[in-house]
């Protein structure tokens, strides 16, 4: 075996390398021309396929293909102009049950035109005559449903520019929030709300209160880059009250005490909110109207939070926390469904105008209520598309004594009801 320093080991001569002759300019030019010809043929075929089939491809498929084409160098990336997607689509999808309406705009055909009739008077005022109300609504719903950028939306819907697309989107946002804001029904529909929670064994409950989180690029809303949205929901997942736009750096209890809901209930001069009839439990105790609240909130006479690990735990406390957990799931499910239907809200907001994002979130929640009201099937709760929800800080202050008494009475009632099953 040869080892280092062994003189018997022959020295292998280095192989000589032949100098390559430089490629002839004519050959290089011919090769480049051939590549350009292939690219031109492929991109032309892709553009033709897209223009002929965009009404039958899923929006996610056409957007992905357009993204691939736009990554090519000019002139292959230039997408040809074509007539407005909505007018071609509306002429093709004329049946009420055509599922393409839901695939493209996340609403059925009847509900699209129902929404259009409600918003058109406002949109005519907000928009120039070059942007018809139906085009504005279709382009806004398409962007909200698929997260498409303004440039893409403008090209698809025959709008002059990205600025026109942006104007249409925010005009629809304002019209929805102005015209349909009364779909937050907490103050005028308590009887229906109480009945709904009664069916899930929470007598005299008027809602479940929690937070949702929506991502924002940059640090304008805190280091975590997100907005907190406080929401009250009913047993069917409708939003009853929304307060959006709070930076994630704020403590939840500080947010809570500045919201219209808290001020409305706490201010005795306000209307009789949560001051309706009491409910007589099976053991003879009576409890007032109340809301189930997440552990980040303080325990109040009208806001019942879960028992903590420091509380003495028995079967009654466990039964209450199980019921409380079911109520809190209503909040997370409602936000999950909003993000599932409106993919723009499931992603981090990347625009410079992040101060407008809370109004877009509210629009998504209002449309969620509108579609529930008119029987639109609910989407599956978003999982992969949602930002990961982080645990909020548990409120560590003292609970209200009256609130403790009401919570204990309800816990005993739930425990007795469970034993009878």
């Amino acid at each position: 075996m040869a080892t280092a320093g062994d003189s018997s080991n022959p020295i292998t001569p280095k192989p000589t390398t032949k100098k390559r002759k430089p490629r002839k300019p004519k050959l290089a030019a011919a090769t480049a021309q051939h590549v350009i010809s292939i690219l031109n043929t492929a991109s032309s075929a892709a553009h033709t396929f897209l223009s002929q089939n965009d009404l039958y491809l899923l929006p996610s498929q056409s957007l992905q293909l357009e993204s691939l084409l736009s990554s090519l160098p000019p002139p292959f990336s230039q997408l040809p102009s074509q007539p407005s997607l909505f007018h071609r689509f509306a002429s093709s999808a004329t049946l009420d049950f055509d599922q393409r309406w839901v695939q493209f705009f996340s609403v059925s055909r009847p509900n699209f035109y129902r929404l259009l009739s409600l918003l058109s008077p406002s949109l005519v005022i907000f928009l120039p005559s070059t942007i018809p109300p139906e085009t504005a609504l279709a382009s806004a719903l398409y962007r909200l449903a698929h997260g498409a950028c303004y440039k893409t939306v403008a090209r698809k819907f025959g709008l002059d520019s990205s600025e026109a697309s942006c104007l249409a989107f925010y005009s629809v946002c304002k019209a929805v929030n102005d015209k349909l804001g009364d779909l937050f029904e907490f103050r005028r529909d308590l009887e229906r709300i109480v009945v709904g929670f009664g069916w899930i064994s929470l007598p005299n409950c008027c809602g479940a209160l929690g937070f949702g989180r929506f991502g924002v690029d940059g640090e304008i809303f805190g280091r975590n880059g997100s907005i907190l949205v406080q929401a009250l929901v009913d047993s069917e997942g409708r939003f009853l009250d929304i307060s959006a736009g709070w930076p994630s750096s704020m403590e939840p209890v500080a947010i809570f005490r500045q919201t219209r809901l808290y001020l409305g209930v706490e201010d005795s001069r306000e209307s009789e909110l949560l001051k309706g009839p009491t409910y007589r439990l099976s053991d003879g105790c009576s409890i007032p109207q109340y809301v189930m609240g997440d552990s980040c909130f303080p325990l109040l006479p009208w806001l019942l939070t879960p028992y903590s690990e420091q509380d003495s735990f028995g079967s009654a406390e466990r039964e209450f926390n199980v019921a409380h957990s079911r109520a809190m799931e209503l909040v997370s499910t409602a936000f999950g469904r909003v993000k599932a239907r409106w993919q723009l809200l499931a992603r981090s907001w990347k625009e410079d105008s992040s101060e407008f994002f809370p109004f877009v979130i509210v629009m998504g929640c209002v449309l969620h209520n509108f579609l529930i009201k008119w029987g639109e099937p609910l989407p599956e709760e978003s999982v992969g598309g949602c930002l990961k929800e982080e645990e909020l800080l548990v409120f560590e202050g003292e609970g209200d004594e009256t609130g403790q008494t009401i919570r204990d009475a309800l816990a005993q009632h739930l425990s007795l009801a469970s034993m009878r099953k």
Side-chain angles (χ1 to χ4, degrees):
M1 181 173 66
T3 59
D6 187 350
S7 59
S8 63
N9 191 29
I11 298 175
T12 305
K14 294 182 179 180
T16 58
T17 56
K18 294 182 179 180
K19 292 184 178 179
R20 293 183 179 177
K21 293 181 180 180
R23 181 173 291 181
K24 294 180 179 180
K26 289 184 178 180
L27 180 60
T31 302
Q33 191 63 37
H34 182 62
V35 170
I36 290 172
S37 176
I38 292 174
L39 274 175
N40 187 54
T41 301
S43 63
S44 176
H47 287 313
T48 301
F49 173 81
L50 190 58
S51 62
Q52 292 178 350
N53 296 280
D54 60 343
L55 298 183
Y56 304 99
L57 293 171
L58 292 173
S60 59
Q61 294 171 330
S62 62
L63 288 171
Q64 185 176 14
L65 182 54
E66 288 178 15
S67 177
L68 290 172
L69 287 170
S70 64
S71 66
L72 294 173
F76 312 111
S77 58
Q78 187 65 37
L79 293 169
S81 60
Q82 55 187 137
S84 169
L85 171 70
F86 177 71
H87 292 111
R88 292 185 293 115
F89 179 89
S91 300
S92 169
T94 57
L95 300 178
D96 285 352
F97 51 82
D98 193 324
Q99 280 301 303
R100 286 182 296 166
W101 283 90
V102 176
Q103 292 168 356
F104 275 68
F105 307 111
S106 284
V107 299
S108 63
R109 183 178 184 276
N111 281 332
F112 178 91
Y113 284 105
R114 184 174 284 117
L115 190 59
L116 180 63
S117 69
L118 292 170
L119 302 183
S120 283
S122 296
L123 294 177
V124 168
I125 296 172
F126 298 156
L127 293 167
S129 59
T130 53
I131 307 179
E134 63 273 15
T135 299
L137 179 59
S139 66
L141 291 179
Y142 188 90
R143 169 167 161 73
L144 191 62
H146 305 291
C149 67
Y150 290 125
K151 182 179 179 180
T152 297
V153 171
R155 189 188 60 78
K156 279 183 172 293
F157 290 88
L159 299 172
D160 293 340
S161 62
S162 297
E163 289 74 17
S165 175
C166 181
L167 175 62
F169 181 77
Y170 283 113
S171 296
V172 170
C173 179
K174 178 172 173 53
V176 167
N177 293 343
D178 288 350
K179 290 291 186 181
L180 305 180
D182 61 351
L183 290 175
F184 295 144
E185 300 172 336
F186 184 50
R187 295 169 182 264
R188 60 183 177 83
D189 205 14
L190 273 178
E191 184 176 349
R192 177 193 65 78
I193 295 165
V194 169
V195 170
F197 278 102
W199 283 106
I200 59 173
S201 303
L202 288 173
N204 227 22
C205 181
C206 297
L209 185 68
F211 281 98
R213 190 184 296 271
F214 294 80
V216 178
D217 280 1
E219 297 187 4
I220 188 172
F221 286 100
R223 294 186 63 185
N224 292 332
S226 60
I227 286 176
L228 290 180
V229 179
Q230 180 185 286
L232 183 71
V233 304
D234 69 8
S235 60
E236 299 174 64
R238 288 184 181 90
F239 291 95
L240 305 174
D241 185 88
I242 285 282
S243 183
W246 303 98
S248 58
S249 56
M250 282 187 70
E251 291 188 6
V253 67
I255 296 172
F256 169 63
R257 287 177 173 148
Q258 296 181 58
T259 59
R260 184 181 61 172
L261 175 66
Y262 173 82
L263 297 173
V265 177
E266 291 291 317
D267 190 346
S268 59
R269 294 169 297 176
E270 187 76 13
S271 60
E272 296 296 305
L273 190 59
L274 292 181
K275 296 179 177 66
T278 60
Y279 181 88
R280 189 175 181 84
L281 301 175
S282 56
D283 60 0
C285 293
S286 294
I287 57 171
Q289 292 179 336
Y290 63 90
V291 165
M292 286 290 202
D294 202 347
S295 58
C296 62
F297 297 115
L299 175 65
L300 299 172
W302 60 272
L303 183 62
L304 304 185
T305 57
Y307 289 97
S308 67
E309 295 178 358
Q310 285 73 34
D311 296 314
S312 56
F313 249 76
S315 59
E317 289 77 10
R318 280 193 294 272
E319 286 295 333
F320 178 87
N321 276 9
V322 168
H324 180 278
S325 179
R326 287 200 306 269
M328 290 301 100
E329 285 176 6
L330 295 170
V331 181
S332 61
T333 298
F335 277 124
R337 283 174 170 160
V338 165
K339 292 178 179 180
R341 188 185 296 278
W342 310 121
Q343 285 293 303
L344 182 65
L345 302 181
R347 306 171 184 177
S348 286
W349 187 257
K350 300 184 185 302
E351 292 184 32
D352 293 335
S353 54
S354 54
E355 66 272 17
F356 295 124
F357 189 33
F359 299 99
V360 179
I361 296 170
V362 172
M363 173 173 67
C365 295
V366 172
L367 290 173
H368 171 84
N369 281 12
F370 174 83
L371 294 174
I372 289 178
K373 178 179 179 178
W374 292 105
E376 195 84 25
L378 291 168
E380 291 297 321
E381 183 181 353
S382 178
V383 179
C386 280
L387 295 167
K388 185 179 180 181
E389 299 290 336
E390 299 174 15
E391 291 293 331
L392 297 170
L393 292 175
V394 174
F395 178 74
E396 295 181 349
E398 289 293 323
D400 181 270
E401 289 187 8
T402 303
Q404 291 176 5
T405 302
I406 295 169
R407 183 175 65 179
D408 289 345
L410 182 57
Q412 288 294 332
H413 169 79
L414 294 171
S415 180
L416 291 172
S418 177
M419 288 188 290
R420 293 193 193 104
K421 290 181 180 178

